[in-house]
Amino acid sequence: MKLIRNISFPFVPAYYAVTSLRNKLYDLGIKKSTSYDLPVICVGNLSVGGTGKTPMIEYLIELLKDDYKIATLSRGYKRKTTGFQLADASSSAETLGDEPFQFYSKFKNDILVAVDADRTHGIEQLRKLDNAPDVILLDDAFQHRKVKAGLNILLTTYSNPYFDDFVLPTGNLREPRNGAKRADIIIVTKCPYHLSEAEKNTFLKQINPKGNQSVFFSTIDYSNEIISAKSKKSMDSVNNFTLVTGIANANPLVGFLKKKNLQFEHLNFSDHHEFSQQDVLEINKRDLIITTEKDFMRLKDHVVLKDKLFYLPIKVRIGNEAAVNKHIKDFVKV
């Protein structure tokens, strides 16, 4: 893969030029962005994935759901439906995509969950509902500039920050680094625990935020319990299991499990992998399977796995949490 990316380096200027021109047309108002008279919060990144958008959306849901009617709006990546879809009791990972289905499974009594590749159309449909939302959370829509969100939250990982990356196809960036200037809040995700102030300051200098931008650092908190469709187990009671992942970057999870000195094999699939029947048959040969919550949404309907399939929940922990919460709540109040 690295060789292919190095060979493709001559195509970088063309990709850079096309994405830069697109952004310039939006900046100049030649291409239209639609603003809304209700709070719209966009969570996204510059890279192609693995920055922690799903747990960040869940963080926002937890922060706001008790005071506002919340809707999440996602593209619904790899779903087998088209157009606008509003989640209901008949929904699945196939109709919504794995991440929106995860939102629905966890928060269906508190929020609306919708998918639409055209976020403008999706917002219009949500606003027509009798129980229309007060706040809309756009999942992975930083490059969807047809919508002008009122608050843009940009995520970048500590281990692979956007300022050290290149645009596709050699690097992982969907657009040039200067796209970060559109962010109101930049959150550095998946940071090491106990990150020192000196390390934070070094990182901040490289981000070089504008005067109107706030930067926060976050870590992943892993639960001490694994959860199945029927039960829970303490992580301290498990060993010799199979870890199954279909996410962009499984390294933090693998590192966490290794630090606990657990013995496991790792079946590592591509991001948003569609598990085939053959995959399921192979996975089913194992006695205990632990996966991510996102992968659990795609695997849990396979009956043969139901008694042995568990997921490990995660949450985002943001340093200076009071400040980021105030920033978000102040925006929503206006």
Side-chain angles (χ1 to χ4, degrees):
M1 178 62 75
K2 187 175 181 180
L3 176 61
I4 294 173
R5 290 198 165 195
N6 288 338
I7 292 172
S8 65
F9 187 77
F11 296 99
V12 167
Y15 187 92
Y16 184 100
V18 169
T19 53
S20 293
L21 176 60
R22 176 180 181 271
N23 279 331
K24 193 66 176 177
L25 293 175
Y26 276 110
D27 292 341
L28 295 173
I30 296 171
K31 290 180 75 71
K32 183 184 176 183
S33 293
T34 303
S35 300
Y36 297 90
D37 58 0
L38 83 165
V40 176
I41 302 175
C42 169
V43 175
N45 52 21
L46 296 185
S47 66
V48 290
T51 57
K53 294 182 296 295
T54 300
M56 188 64 215
I57 289 285
E58 292 186 354
Y59 181 95
L60 295 174
I61 293 170
E62 293 280 10
L63 179 66
L64 299 172
K65 67 182 178 62
D66 291 339
D67 299 312
Y68 302 94
K69 183 68 176 180
I70 305 297
T72 65
L73 180 59
S74 310
R75 171 186 170 188
Y77 184 61
K78 285 197 173 182
R79 62 187 169 116
K80 296 183 178 179
T81 57
T82 58
F84 178 80
Q85 298 284 328
L86 184 66
D88 58 25
S90 66
S91 297
S92 66
E94 289 192 343
T95 61
L96 297 177
D98 48 18
E99 290 152 342
F101 186 55
Q102 180 175 321
F103 301 149
Y104 180 72
S105 298
K106 293 177 76 169
F107 301 104
K108 58 188 171 187
N109 296 323
D110 299 311
I111 69 169
L112 299 168
V113 175
V115 293
D116 197 327
D118 183 342
R119 307 306 204 288
T120 307
H121 180 259
I123 292 173
E124 291 169 356
Q125 296 305 303
L126 283 168
R127 299 192 74 184
K128 290 178 182 178
L129 297 173
D130 292 336
N131 59 337
D134 303 315
V135 181
I136 296 176
L137 307 179
L138 297 181
D139 176 29
D140 195 14
F142 198 74
Q143 284 75 40
H144 197 92
R145 298 199 60 187
K146 289 182 180 180
V147 173
K148 187 173 183 180
L151 185 71
N152 280 295
I153 300 176
L154 178 70
L155 309 182
T156 187
T157 62
Y158 185 84
S159 61
N160 188 24
Y162 68 83
F163 54 73
D164 275 346
D165 207 346
F166 295 96
V167 296
L168 294 164
T170 295
N172 292 311
L173 299 185
R174 298 168 171 174
E175 60 173 299
R177 302 170 190 173
N178 62 10
K181 68 185 180 183
R182 301 196 306 275
D184 302 291
I185 296 173
I186 299 173
I187 298 182
V188 185
T189 63
K190 304 182 181 180
C191 295
Y193 294 103
H194 311 300
L195 195 64
S196 70
E197 289 303 314
E199 289 169 318
K200 290 179 183 178
N201 288 333
T202 298
F203 212 92
L204 276 171
K205 287 178 183 177
Q206 293 175 290
I207 290 178
N208 191 24
K210 297 164 59 181
N212 66 315
Q213 292 181 314
S214 300
V215 181
F216 300 92
F217 294 83
S218 72
T219 56
I220 295 174
D221 269 1
Y222 293 94
S223 173
N224 197 43
E225 289 184 324
I226 54 172
I227 301 173
S228 74
K230 295 181 177 180
S231 63
K232 298 180 181 180
K233 289 184 180 182
S234 168
M235 281 295 295
D236 298 328
S237 69
V238 301
N239 213 338
N240 294 316
F241 58 88
T242 297
L243 175 67
V244 175
T245 59
I247 56 177
N249 180 11
N251 291 336
L253 174 55
V254 171
F256 166 77
L257 296 172
K258 286 183 175 179
K259 282 182 180 178
K260 292 181 73 69
N261 295 316
L262 298 173
Q263 300 299 312
F264 62 95
E265 68 167 331
H266 183 196
L267 300 182
N268 190 20
F269 297 89
S270 60
D271 194 20
H272 296 280
H273 180 72
E274 294 185 26
F275 293 97
S276 67
Q277 194 59 40
Q278 184 175 350
D279 292 333
V280 173
L281 290 173
E282 181 62 30
I283 292 169
N284 189 44
K285 293 177 182 178
R286 280 68 178 179
D287 295 324
L288 176 61
I289 304 147
I290 298 177
T291 189
T292 68
E293 191 168 2
K294 184 170 78 170
D295 294 311
F296 184 82
M297 295 300 150
R298 297 196 298 277
L299 287 168
K300 69 186 183 72
D301 289 334
H302 293 280
V303 177
V304 294
L305 300 178
K306 67 177 181 179
D307 293 325
K308 58 176 72 175
L309 180 68
F310 292 77
Y311 70 88
L312 179 63
I314 64 171
K315 284 190 175 182
V316 170
R317 184 178 296 278
I318 302 177
N320 201 0
E321 184 175 85
V324 72
N325 289 356
K326 183 177 185 304
H327 194 144
I328 293 163
K329 286 185 173 181
D330 285 349
F331 163 73
V332 173
K333 281 182 198 173
V334 175

